[in-house]
Amino acid sequence: MKFIPSYFRIETPLLSPKYKFITYKRVENFRINLDGFNNSEDYLISQMGSKSRSQLRRRIHRLEACFNINYVFYYGDISKQKYDFLFKELKLLIERRFNQRGDSYSLKDKWNFIKENSYQLILEKKASLFVIYDENKPIDICLSYHFQNITQHLIRSYDIDYSKYWVGQIDIWKQIDWCLLNNFKIFDLMWGKLDYKVRWCNEISLFEHHFIFKNNNPLKLLFVKIMINLYKISDYVKQKCFFKWLIKTKLNFTLNPKSQIEKKESIITLETISKMPLNDDITSININNASYKFLRKTVYDFQYLNFENTANINVFKINNEVDSYIVQGAKSQIKVLIN
C-alpha cells in the first residue's frame, strides 16, 4: 500500500506473528489540522502574523471591490453540464499555470480517470468542487475528496491573470472556513513542497508505504528490500533535480528578472497619460475577446493598483499606432505598449 498519511490507522487481520510488516516513509505530507478551531479566523491567527493576515484581508477586499466575485461549493449537487464545463476550465487553468512555471503536471496521465469518476462522487458528497467566479468566469477551481472528517485536496489551479489578488491564498482560507462549517477536521494538501502549503499547514509528516508478507518468504523480503532501495534512489535523484532546477531558475531570475516572462510573453510598457485621445483616434475593444486576452493581466493589475471596478473600465486600441492600447478607469488612464 502506497502513500498512506500518518493520521490513518490501518487495521488488518494479516498482522499476526505469521506475517512481517515493514513501513517505509517517503514524500512530505502537508496538511491543516483544524481540530480545536472554531472558525477560519481562529486558524489564521494561530498560523500567521498580523502583517500576513492584514495582507490577505486587503487582497480579498481588493478582489471583491474590483470584480463581481462569487464563491461556490458544489457538494452533493451539480449538473453534468456544469461539471463538464468546470473540468474543461480547470484543465485550461492548469495547463497555463504549469506552462508559466515550465513544469509538468503530475496527475496528467490520470486526468480522464479522475474526470470520469469525480462527478458521481460529488453527488454522493464524497467529493466537491470549489470555484471562485468573476461574474460567470471561473478564476479558481479546486477538486477535493472527502472521507469521514477528512478533506483531501486533489487538484487546484487559478487564473494567473488574477495573480496580484492572491486568488490561490483566498481559495485556501475560504475552504478552511467551509471545512469547519461542515465538520471536517483535516484539510490535507497532499505532497509537493510549495510556498503556500508551508505557509498554511500546521502539520507536516511523511507518507508511508506499507509492505505486508509472510515471514517464511525470503524472495518476498528480498523484493521489498529492492523496492525500498529503488525508492531511496528515486527520491534522491528527484531531490537533486529539483534543487538544480530551483537554483537555475532563481539565478536566471536574479540576473535577468524579465527573462522568465519574456520567453512566453511580449514585453509590456506602461505609461500614465493625463488625458484621452480624440474619439476618432481610438477604437473600443473587449478584453473578453480571445484576440485581446494578452491584455487581461495588465487591465486587472491596473484595477488592483487604482481600486477600479470592472464596470468603470474601458479599453481602447490606438488606431494610428501599432500594438498600442489605452486602459481607462474612473480616476485615471494608462497607455499600454506591446513590444
Side-chain angles (χ1 to χ4, degrees):
M1 294 180 285
K2 297 182 180 181
F3 297 109
I4 301 169
S6 60
Y7 54 81
F8 274 1
R9 292 292 174 264
I10 306 299
E11 295 182 3
T12 170
L14 295 179
L15 294 182
S16 68
K18 294 182 179 180
Y19 291 87
K20 191 171 183 64
F21 179 81
I22 294 178
T23 298
Y24 175 64
K25 297 182 178 182
R26 65 188 297 242
V27 187
E28 287 179 307
N29 173 209
F30 296 85
R31 62 182 178 270
I32 297 170
N33 189 334
L34 296 171
D35 193 26
F37 295 98
N38 295 318
N39 52 57
S40 57
E41 183 65 25
D42 287 347
Y43 184 79
L44 198 64
I45 291 171
S46 75
Q47 192 67 16
M48 296 184 187
S50 58
K51 184 178 179 180
S52 295
R53 298 198 305 272
S54 177
Q55 287 178 332
L56 179 62
R57 291 190 190 95
R58 257 198 323 269
R59 293 306 203 284
I60 294 173
H61 180 53
R62 197 68 61 96
L63 179 68
E64 294 176 351
C66 292
F67 307 98
N68 185 13
I69 296 297
N70 292 300
Y71 307 98
V72 181
F73 281 92
Y74 297 96
Y75 178 61
D77 183 32
I78 186 173
S79 70
K80 188 61 166 62
Q81 182 180 9
K82 175 67 73 173
Y83 175 82
D84 289 340
F85 166 73
L86 289 174
F87 248 82
K88 180 181 177 181
E89 291 296 306
L90 177 57
K91 188 174 183 180
L92 293 173
L93 293 177
I94 290 171
E95 289 173 349
R96 191 174 177 213
R97 179 74 179 104
F98 276 80
N99 285 339
Q100 181 197 48
R101 287 169 49 177
D103 201 358
S104 58
Y105 179 49
S106 61
L107 293 178
K108 184 178 180 180
D109 295 337
K110 299 181 177 66
W111 183 263
N112 289 336
F113 175 82
I114 293 169
K115 183 178 183 296
E116 289 170 6
N117 289 275
S118 296
Y119 177 68
Q120 186 60 36
L121 293 176
I122 291 174
L123 299 182
E124 296 171 1
K125 291 191 174 182
K126 295 177 181 178
S128 64
L129 275 171
F130 171 58
V131 185
I132 302 177
Y133 287 98
D134 171 12
E135 292 285 354
N136 297 315
K137 178 174 66 173
I139 63 174
D140 179 282
I141 304 174
C142 179
L143 172 68
S144 297
Y145 286 166
H146 307 288
F147 174 73
Q148 294 181 351
N149 66 348
I150 299 164
T151 291
Q152 188 180 63
H153 163 280
L154 184 66
I155 306 171
R156 182 174 75 94
S157 195
Y158 65 92
D159 189 331
I160 58 177
D161 290 337
Y162 294 78
S163 58
K164 205 168 191 68
Y165 297 84
W166 281 16
V167 177
Q169 304 298 319
I170 296 171
D171 169 311
I172 297 295
W173 195 24
K174 292 293 182 180
Q175 289 201 73
I176 288 174
D177 198 48
W178 183 86
C179 284
L180 287 165
L181 288 172
N182 288 274
N183 298 314
F184 290 102
K185 298 301 182 184
I186 293 177
F187 184 20
D188 192 339
L189 300 185
M190 305 291 283
W191 55 75
K193 189 171 184 178
L194 299 172
D195 288 343
Y196 82 91
K197 294 185 182 182
V198 174
R199 182 181 300 114
W200 282 99
C201 293
N202 60 355
E203 289 187 351
I204 302 173
S205 62
L206 294 176
F207 281 107
E208 299 176 356
H209 284 8
H210 293 174
F211 300 92
I212 303 172
F213 55 95
K214 287 185 177 181
N215 269 324
N216 60 358
N217 192 333
L219 288 178
K220 197 69 175 180
L221 177 60
L222 177 61
F223 171 77
V224 170
K225 288 182 177 180
I226 291 172
M227 288 299 300
I228 289 175
N229 282 310
L230 287 175
Y231 286 142
K232 288 180 179 179
I233 294 170
S234 174
D235 293 342
Y236 175 78
V237 170
K238 286 179 181 177
Q239 187 179 43
K240 294 287 285 185
C241 290
F242 171 76
F243 280 116
K244 284 181 179 179
W245 171 83
L246 187 64
I247 291 169
K248 181 180 178 181
T249 301
K250 289 197 171 185
L251 180 60
N252 191 27
F253 187 81
T254 301
L255 294 176
N256 186 3
K258 293 183 179 180
S259 62
Q260 298 302 310
I261 299 173
E262 290 170 6
K263 285 180 182 179
K264 301 189 181 298
E265 299 178 3
S266 301
I267 302 172
I268 297 176
T269 305
L270 306 179
E271 175 188 336
T272 301
I273 55 177
S274 58
K275 62 179 183 178
M276 292 291 294
L278 298 173
N279 289 340
D280 291 342
D281 295 332
I282 55 177
T283 301
S284 178
I285 62 173
N286 184 355
I287 62 169
N288 291 320
N289 187 311
S291 302
Y292 298 109
K293 63 183 180 181
F294 59 90
L295 284 171
R296 290 173 191 167
K297 187 177 189 309
T298 302
V299 173
Y300 301 156
D301 286 356
F302 171 81
Q303 290 179 243
Y304 178 89
L305 294 171
N306 294 279
F307 233 106
E308 293 276 9
N309 187 273
T310 299
N312 300 322
I313 295 295
N314 294 294
V315 184
F316 303 91
K317 187 179 187 306
I318 302 177
N319 297 332
N320 60 350
E321 296 184 23
V322 178
D323 292 330
S324 296
Y325 304 87
I326 290 176
V327 181
Q328 180 191 41
K331 308 166 189 174
S332 62
Q333 52 270 331
I334 58 171
K335 183 176 181 179
V336 181
L337 305 174
I338 311 295
N339 300 319

